[in-house]
Amino acid sequence: MASTGKARVEGPYGSSPLDPLAALRAPDDPPWDVYLTGTVFLDIVFTGLDSAPVRGTESWARGMGSSPGGVANMATALARLGLRTSLAAAFGDDHYGEYCWDTLEQGEGIDLSPSRTVPGWHSPVTVSMAYEGERTMVSHGHEPPPEEPAPDCPPRARAAVASLTPGRGAPWIAQAARKGARIFGDVGWDDSGQWDLARLPDLRYCEAFLPNAQEAMRYTGTDCPRAAARALTDHVPVAVVTLGAEGAYAVDRRTGETASVPAIEVEALDPTGAGDVFVAGFVTGTLAGWPLADRLAFAGLTAALSVQEFGGSLSAPGWAEIGAWWRRVRSVEGQDPSALRRYAFLAGLVPGELGRPWPLRRAVPTIGFRRPA
């Protein structure tokens, strides 16, 4: 069943209309803002561990939560920022698959009409353990089911987010680009060690490419992330390189813009899904037509807010969290004026006072519990 396409600001347990693209919408627009496809995992996340598990011992975690993971992290992050999001994925016909489907469709308002349930296939599962700002993951899953093109798949959308695979193209990316979608590509570690941009055939369809610093430098043969970003614009119009604790740097070849934004200092509880949230923030700002520096600052802010919560899709912030953060930082005496100017664009975006404390804490979905009415 397709979603209603309504934007929400408070995640799965409360909603309020806020559409970052409201001023740009027209009757002949695509039905969806963003399309993506990939594998949905069930994530079980343990937090509050004092250290990494030690062989032959039992470790107790102070926190635990369950949520859809994998590509669901990105889909949830986009939907919570008010983008009409469509996801094509395979779901197991087990209880885990049913839980993930219901959480994404009913809880987050994500369109799952291109998705399908596969009889006899069980859901992939990842257990993530967070400690000292790092994470360790253990995953299990069977061979994924054969890909089946869904009717009218990919659907017409303003944008699509694609995970590029070295040495292999994905036909849907070219199809989406031909339908007018703006493609945002990220990439994982190249296990082959070749680090050859020619092995990313779908990069030519991308409007923006968002690798981390190590990936960018290896692909370009440079020893500086900023030089790597500039070199990548020979292959893609916009290059965004994430720099970890140092923030992010971006170059737009078409406009000549460059932007560098430092990271926001936060106490990180769990980094799971932070990269997905960063991409979602950048996509949102791009579709809304913001300047490059604002897009980069917004992406970094959403990622910083996400690492203060645990879980991938659990931690993705909505506009209520962004608004609460903006009101809080403006109320701090002696706040750096340059930092306030960097995020001044939020003043016209965030919802009004909601009477909620900061930091916010979400209800945590746990399999088998009923959601409060």
Side-chain angles (χ1 to χ4, degrees):
M1 180 177 67
S3 77
T4 61
K6 294 180 180 178
R8 279 195 291 271
V9 302
E10 295 185 70
Y13 303 109
S15 62
S16 176
L18 196 155
D19 182 355
L21 308 185
L24 304 175
R25 297 200 184 279
D28 60 346
D29 280 348
W32 306 110
D33 296 325
V34 187
Y35 168 81
L36 63 166
T37 184
T39 302
V40 172
F41 285 73
L42 171 72
D43 280 358
I44 302 173
V45 182
F46 293 98
T47 62
L49 290 163
D50 295 321
S51 62
V54 177
R55 181 177 180 179
T57 67
E58 180 180 17
S59 300
W60 280 82
R62 292 186 289 274
M64 190 209 84
S66 305
S67 67
V71 71
N73 294 338
M74 180 76 72
T76 299
L78 292 162
R80 288 188 181 176
L81 293 176
L83 298 185
R84 300 170 183 177
T85 303
S86 183
L87 170 64
F91 289 78
D93 65 349
D94 51 12
H95 186 54
Y96 293 167
E98 180 183 353
Y99 164 80
C100 289
W101 185 293
D102 179 68
T103 299
L104 295 174
E105 184 178 60
Q106 303 300 324
E108 303 293 348
I110 295 167
D111 168 50
L112 297 180
S113 58
S115 296
R116 67 196 191 281
T117 297
V118 180
W121 184 65
H122 84 68
S123 303
V125 177
T126 292
V127 174
S128 177
M129 293 161 280
Y131 54 90
E132 298 175 352
E134 297 294 337
R135 60 177 176 166
T136 296
M137 296 187 293
V138 178
S139 297
H140 171 71
H142 291 175
E143 187 71 21
E147 295 182 8
E148 300 174 4
D152 194 31
C153 182
R156 198 164 63 95
R158 294 174 186 264
V161 179
S163 181
L164 307 183
T165 303
R168 189 176 70 195
W172 75 264
I173 297 175
Q175 295 171 16
R178 284 194 293 269
K179 291 183 177 183
R182 303 161 74 175
I183 310 298
F184 296 78
D186 62 9
V187 69
W189 194 256
D190 186 355
D191 291 329
S192 74
Q194 297 184 50
W195 298 103
D196 183 359
L197 287 170
R199 298 185 72 243
L200 299 178
D202 292 325
L203 187 62
R204 64 182 182 273
Y205 301 113
C206 293
E207 171 172 329
F209 184 45
L210 299 96
N212 64 34
Q214 287 299 318
E215 293 160 351
M217 289 189 292
R218 287 176 181 266
Y219 270 119
T220 58
T222 59
D223 57 4
C224 169
R226 287 166 175 78
R230 292 190 292 271
L232 286 172
T233 58
D234 290 338
H235 305 270
V236 67
V238 179
V240 180
V241 177
T242 55
L243 309 174
E246 296 181 20
Y249 180 77
V251 181
D252 188 327
R253 182 186 69 208
R254 295 166 302 189
T255 65
E257 293 175 278
T258 63
S260 180
V261 176
I264 298 174
E265 293 186 11
V266 295
E267 183 177 349
L269 175 63
D270 178 14
T272 304
D276 295 323
V277 174
F278 181 95
V279 173
F282 191 82
V283 170
T284 300
T286 301
L287 295 183
W290 301 347
L292 185 63
D294 290 354
R295 286 181 267 163
L296 203 62
F298 185 73
L301 169 61
T302 55
L305 294 178
S306 78
V307 301
Q308 296 179 90
E309 305 286 345
F310 68 81
S313 61
L314 283 179
S315 67
W319 286 103
E321 288 86 346
I322 295 164
W325 176 85
W326 177 236
R327 289 189 295 274
R328 176 64 182 268
V329 297
R330 286 184 298 165
S331 70
V332 175
E333 292 186 10
Q335 186 64 264
D336 182 0
S338 64
L340 292 178
R341 287 194 298 271
R342 181 178 299 117
Y343 296 95
F345 66 93
L346 292 174
L349 295 170
V350 297
E353 181 62 53
L354 298 176
R356 299 178 65 185
W358 172 264
L360 301 175
R361 287 290 178 259
R362 295 188 184 278
V364 178
T366 300
I367 293 176
F369 282 8
R370 291 186 177 182
R371 182 177 301 160

